[in-house]
Amino acid sequence: MNFNDAKNEVLQVLSKTERQHLPKLLEWLKTSDDLDDFLVDNQSVILQSIAEDLRVCLPLEAMAPSETMAIQKTQQKPHPTVHVDAFLYDEEAVDSLCEEGKMSRNYCLNCGSHRTAPLEFISHSFSIPELHFLFHNVLPDLSGKLVVDVGSRLGAVLFGGYLYSAASQLVGVEISSEFVKLQTMAVEKYGFSDRIQVIHADIRSQSALVQNTDVLIMNNVFEYFMEPSDQMQAWLFISQNFRKKGALLVTVPSVQETLALFQDAVFLETFVLSQWIEEVPLDYTVYLKNDTDPDSLKQIHLYRVL
Ligand SMILES: C[S@@+](CC[C@H](N)C(=O)[O-])C[C@H]1O[C@@H](n2cnc3c(N)ncnc32)[C@H](O)[C@@H]1O
């Protein structure tokens, strides 16, 4: 049944429903988890299976011991914050861990008392619903395109792009050798090597690749992992090499928000003067699984190279 036929059937059902039950029915349509099963597809099931494989290879906080800067930056946040990788642990998995006492959504305000406040969670990966949104709602048809994920970590973007898009090549560039090993293991196990390649490198050494890229994905790449001066250098590198006219850049958070972190007038002037990209407005009002955080989708921004 196509969309219009389905819509007409739904309207028919609504027109036959007793008036007093309509608000309850509409509320159920908008909020019930019962409908989530309709959104489960084979691709998402494969992504969940990859996440399960990777979970057992990592500690609960899914950080490598070498990531001291990222660990410190998380600990220094004004509000108590923990890293929970959203690709590895969806809301259901977090609930189970909380029930088992292995994780907590709250911290204690006065030790030993019942006064608690919610912990802030940050994730260094996209969740499966975010990947679905990215490849189905943010990006156009990617047939024949080269997609590069800057800082590919667990490979979530690469695997999402393989399963949810027709991109001909997906390349992940990751600076941490521990995460390169994990991605390579999953690529081999799931037979993805015909379209996915993982490179162990600093993105700043990959000018030829970046110059050739059609879609560049940058999910909070540098902020937690590099000193501010290196971050600025990396952004200048991207703006000087990612220049194919019409190519698409996806960032989390927005480029404006990232630039606001740097208080270096010369850098900002060079960056603004380069007149490099324009923002493409996105429609964030899509229906995803009920436990998807709508605010996390709003962090995703799309730009076109001018
Ligand atoms: C927030 S994670 C992004 C994960 C992944 N792209 C996703 O969306 O699920 C950022 C990753 O970038 C890597 N990284 C940081 N600086 C980098 C650089 N200069 N070159 C390559 N990778 C880098 C970090 O090691 C980290 O794994």
Side-chain angles (χ1 to χ4, degrees):
M1 196 186 295
N2 65 26
F3 173 73
N4 274 332
D5 293 344
K7 189 172 112 183
N8 288 335
E9 294 257 337
V10 172
L11 289 172
Q12 281 233 358
V13 170
L14 292 173
S15 69
K16 285 189 230 152
T17 307
E18 287 174 37
R19 284 228 150 247
Q20 79 263 29
H21 298 312
L22 269 176
K24 200 168 164 192
L25 180 63
L26 291 172
E27 186 60 23
W28 174 79
L29 277 170
K30 275 198 270 177
T31 58
S32 168
D33 292 343
D34 297 351
L35 304 181
D36 282 356
D37 285 348
F38 293 110
L39 297 173
V40 174
D41 51 84
N42 277 344
Q43 286 85 356
S44 308
V45 172
I46 299 173
L47 287 176
Q48 272 155 7
S49 163
I50 300 174
E52 274 167 33
D53 288 345
L54 294 176
R55 252 188 248 170
V56 293
C57 301
L58 284 161
L60 199 57
E61 67 280 8
M63 301 287 294
S66 56
E67 295 185 304
T68 42
M69 186 188 303
I71 295 167
Q72 257 175 22
K73 283 197 176 187
T74 309
Q75 286 165 351
Q76 282 162 0
K77 290 215 138 226
H79 190 94
T81 302
V82 286
H83 177 240
V84 179
D85 192 281
F87 179 64
L88 299 183
Y89 300 99
D90 60 13
E91 288 292 311
E92 233 175 276
V94 172
D95 284 343
S96 310
L97 288 169
C98 289
E99 274 163 30
E100 290 165 32
K102 293 184 182 157
M103 198 181 273
S104 175
R105 289 185 184 277
N106 298 301
Y107 68 98
C108 193
L109 289 170
N110 287 334
C111 252
S113 87
H114 292 289
R115 284 188 67 226
T116 59
L119 278 165
E120 203 129 298
F121 283 2
I122 56 157
S123 170
H124 291 314
S125 296
F126 277 128
S127 65
I128 296 175
E130 283 165 348
L131 292 167
H132 192 279
F133 175 69
L134 175 63
F135 288 103
H136 284 275
N137 302 89
V138 173
L139 294 168
D141 177 11
L142 297 180
S143 309
K145 303 289 182 197
L146 165 63
V147 177
V148 171
D149 185 27
V150 184
S152 48
R153 199 164 185 86
L154 296 171
V157 169
L158 306 176
F159 309 140
Y162 190 97
L163 294 163
Y164 290 142
S165 88
S168 61
Q169 240 193 312
L170 295 134
V171 178
V173 179
E174 172 55 57
I175 205 166
S176 152
S177 61
E178 289 102 320
F179 288 109
V180 171
K181 272 190 213 129
L182 287 178
Q183 291 173 73
T184 309
M185 181 196 81
V187 168
E188 279 164 14
K189 173 167 178 189
Y190 286 84
F192 289 165
S193 54
D194 56 334
R195 287 163 57 211
I196 294 184
Q197 190 195 350
V198 182
I199 300 174
H200 178 208
D202 184 323
I203 192 65
R204 290 172 290 178
S205 68
Q206 299 296 309
S207 47
L209 175 70
V210 175
Q211 282 160 18
N212 212 15
T213 299
D214 300 298
V215 178
L216 195 71
I217 316 274
M218 297 182 66
N219 177 15
N220 236 326
V221 194
F222 306 127
E223 190 189 337
Y224 283 84
F225 303 92
M226 287 171 124
E227 296 293 352
S229 58
D230 285 324
Q231 292 179 41
M232 286 191 274
Q233 238 191 38
W235 273 102
L236 281 179
F237 168 85
I238 297 288
S239 68
Q240 283 158 4
N241 286 281
F242 184 53
R243 284 273 169 182
K244 230 189 204 186
K245 197 171 179 324
L248 297 172
L249 170 69
V250 174
T251 68
V252 173
S254 69
V255 173
Q256 289 85 335
E257 210 175 309
T258 302
L259 293 185
L261 297 173
F262 307 125
Q263 282 161 15
D264 182 311
V266 179
F267 165 77
L268 290 174
E269 205 171 306
T270 320
F271 208 90
V272 171
L273 279 178
S274 69
Q275 299 271 326
W276 159 55
I277 44 174
E278 64 176 2
E279 180 147 18
V280 180
L282 295 178
D283 178 6
Y284 296 102
T285 58
V286 295
Y287 184 88
L288 290 170
K289 281 182 72 174
N290 256 325
D291 63 14
T292 310
D293 174 9
D295 290 338
S296 74
L297 298 187
K298 290 185 190 138
Q299 294 285 313
I300 301 177
H301 293 260
L302 178 67
Y303 302 87
R304 187 182 297 112
V305 174
L306 294 167

